[in-house]
């Protein structure tokens, strides 16, 4: 039996509707949730992602302010702009779109963001809170993936979860979230020996590698939940994931498509985080 498709667009719509309701409640208290986004340079993929975030903000009752800076912007200039948003009481979320141009040290920029406004959950403080099981906000892409996994209704406790890819944005926080759900988590990466066998042991497989169609049907355990975080172009320049959907969907129990899977969920979680940050900041300042 072919796999059931997990519809990220539909699940994301529900999360955005809830965010819009919460934004309305805040508005009634005189708080307009506001997200400041920095886009440095002219990476076409980043420009598309940022436009998507602006659209989601508009739908969720969040004011978005996108500052587009030229590719030769200095680190100092960007840091100054971040400090200004840190101290702006009307701003509740700050997001710096990655990657940044070469002359800018990504770590220094991330560390400059006020952790209370860090809606990406990238700052060392928020990463640390997640690792010790006390997160305030959940990282957007991993939280979106977990939501999709939970939408299948399967009991996660004791399940074998395999995460392929060890990035700070996806792989590492994904492993933390699955561990918090009592999965037995294996992390795979470019140096992993016998990746196919590791993948084939997974009840839950999260692919976040960045290589088109690398996970094929023969690497998947029958009935597994397969979450595809990849966003690549295939040989015909068509959008595709890290999973070969055609062969994988013959074996998996549940699978996410690309596009229409993880992408919309990531953006929906960003909306939820911005509302949550706005609620906490406005309560802290007695607004
Ligand atoms: N670039 C790719 N993914 C992300 C993300 O989740 N957040 C930010 N800020 N930049 C990204």
């Amino acid at each position: 039996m072919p796999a059931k498709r997990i519809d990220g667009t539909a699940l994301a719509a529900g999360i955005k509707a809830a965010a819009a309701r919460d934004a309305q409640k805040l508005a009634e208290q005189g708080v307009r949730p506001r997200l400041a986004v920095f886009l440095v340079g002219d990476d076409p993929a980043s420009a598309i992602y940022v436009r998507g975030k602006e659209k989601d903000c508009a739908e969720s009752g969040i004011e978005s302010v996108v500052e587009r800076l030229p590719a030769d912007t200095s680190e100092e200039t960007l840091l100054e702009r971040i400090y200004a948003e840190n101290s702006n009481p009307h701003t509740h979320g700050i997001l710096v779109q990655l990657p940044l141009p070469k002359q800018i040290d990504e770590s220094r920029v991330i560390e400059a963001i006020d952790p209370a406004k860090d809606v990406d959950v990238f700052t060392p403080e928020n990463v640390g809170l997640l690792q010790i099981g006390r997160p305030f906000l959940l990282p957007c892409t991993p939280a979106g993936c977990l939501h999709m996994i939970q939408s299948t209704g399967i009991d996660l406790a004791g399940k074998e979860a395999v995460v392929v890819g060890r990035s700070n944005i996806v792989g590492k926080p994904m492993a933390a979230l699955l561990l918090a759900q009592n999965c037995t988590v294996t992390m795979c990466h470019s140096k992993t020996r016998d990746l196919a066998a590791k993948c084939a042991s997974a009840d839950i497989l999260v692919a976040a590698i960045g290589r088109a169609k690398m996970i094929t049907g023969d690497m998947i355990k029958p009935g597994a939940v397969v979450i595809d975080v990849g966003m690549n172009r295939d040989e015909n320049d068509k959008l595709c994931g890290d999973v070969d959907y055609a062969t994988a969907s013959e074996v998996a129990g549940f699978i996410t498509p690309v596009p229409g899977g993880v992408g919309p969920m990531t953006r929906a979680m960003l909306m939820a985080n911005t509302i949550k940050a706005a609620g906490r900041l406005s309560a802290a300042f007695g607004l």
Side-chain angles (χ1 to χ4, degrees):
M1 204 172 58
K4 290 203 177 75
R5 187 170 166 276
I6 305 175
D7 186 342
T9 307
L11 286 172
I15 293 163
K16 284 192 284 181
R21 285 194 295 276
D22 290 344
Q24 180 59 35
K25 282 187 211 136
L26 285 169
E28 284 159 13
Q29 297 162 35
V31 178
R32 174 110 203 260
R34 185 177 191 267
L35 175 67
V37 177
F38 292 97
L39 174 60
V40 188
D42 32 40
D43 178 59
S46 290
I48 292 169
Y49 292 148
V50 167
R51 274 204 298 279
K53 288 168 187 174
E54 283 182 285
K55 183 170 158 283
D56 285 330
C57 282
E59 286 171 17
S60 310
I62 296 169
E63 181 189 356
S64 64
V65 189
V66 180
E67 189 157 346
R68 291 178 169 81
L69 296 164
D72 62 356
T73 299
S74 70
E75 186 175 298
E76 281 60 40
T77 301
L78 180 58
L79 289 174
E80 275 164 24
R81 293 298 308 121
I82 290 169
Y83 297 143
E85 293 299 343
N86 281 348
S87 52
N88 181 344
H90 300 293
T91 297
H92 307 103
I94 299 173
L95 182 148
V96 180
Q97 187 65 34
L98 303 179
L100 289 167
K102 285 186 302 294
Q103 75 277 12
I104 301 179
D105 180 341
E106 227 158 71
S107 300
R108 280 195 70 195
V109 168
I110 288 168
E111 286 165 26
I113 298 170
D114 178 350
K117 299 185 179 185
D118 169 30
V119 286
D120 260 329
V121 194
F122 285 175
T123 62
E125 174 170 332
N126 288 332
V127 171
L129 286 169
L130 176 67
Q131 288 299 327
I132 62 170
R134 292 180 42 215
F136 164 53
L137 301 174
L138 297 180
C140 301
T141 298
C145 293
L146 180 62
H147 197 90
M148 288 195 286
I149 296 165
Q150 288 173 326
S151 78
T152 66
I154 68 161
D155 180 13
L156 294 183
K159 290 288 190 307
E160 299 290 333
V162 171
V163 178
V164 191
R166 56 178 154 180
S167 69
N168 289 337
I169 295 185
V170 184
K172 287 179 196 163
M174 186 75 244
L177 292 188
L178 290 165
L179 196 55
Q181 295 296 318
N182 298 315
C183 291
T184 301
V185 182
T186 303
M187 295 212 60
C188 298
H189 46 77
S190 54
K191 301 283 189 288
T192 294
R193 278 181 281 159
D194 204 355
L195 178 67
K198 299 277 192 307
C199 290
S201 74
D203 301 307
I204 295 145
L205 180 64
V206 180
I209 315 152
R211 277 183 60 187
K213 301 183 186 179
M214 199 180 139
I215 308 285
T216 45
D218 56 314
M219 298 164 78
I220 291 169
K221 181 172 173 175
V225 180
V226 177
I227 306 292
D228 190 351
V229 185
M231 185 66 92
N232 316 294
R233 296 271 166 193
D234 69 8
E235 59 283 2
N236 302 315
D237 208 33
K238 202 166 152 266
L239 265 184
C240 72
D242 292 345
V243 177
D244 179 37
Y245 192 91
T247 56
S249 61
E250 291 297 318
V251 187
F254 297 87
I255 189 166
T256 65
V258 177
V262 174
M265 290 298 286
T266 295
R267 285 160 37 194
M269 292 301 174
L270 176 66
M271 302 302 113
N273 279 355
T274 304
I275 300 288
K276 207 167 167 204
R280 186 167 84 156
L281 283 163
S282 55
F285 292 104
L287 289 170

